[in-house]
Amino acid sequence: KPVSHWRITDIPAAPPCRLSLRLPAKPRSVRLQPGGIALEQWTYRGGRMECDLPAFPIHQMAVMEL
């Protein structure tokens, strides 16, 4: 019997991961948004920003301000 309605009750957080991103300039800040949580442990070398992201809810993102 086909299911006509799906009900999602829980979406797990994205697991911790390593981010490596080529950027044209060193970021002024790196934050998780929404919420404005500053990520202090990041590096910028050779045109690449790298950081370790903690586990985060699915609707959150890392924002780099240049």
Side-chain angles (χ1 to χ4, degrees):
K1 194 178 200 183
V3 175
S4 60
H5 294 85
W6 291 94
R7 184 173 179 183
I8 299 171
T9 59
D10 187 41
I11 299 174
C17 61
R18 178 101 176 134
L19 175 65
S20 179
L21 184 64
R22 185 174 303 281
L23 295 174
K26 182 179 179 178
R28 289 183 294 157
S29 70
V30 179
R31 296 182 176 279
L32 288 179
Q33 295 288 3
I37 301 166
L39 297 175
E40 303 293 339
Q41 302 298 319
W42 56 271
T43 60
Y44 182 80
R45 283 194 285 278
R48 188 166 290 278
M49 189 277 305
E50 296 187 353
C51 69
D52 291 319
L53 296 175
F56 56 91
I58 194 166
H59 295 294
Q60 209 164 32
M61 67 185 89
V63 176
M64 282 63 62
E65 288 187 40
L66 301 180

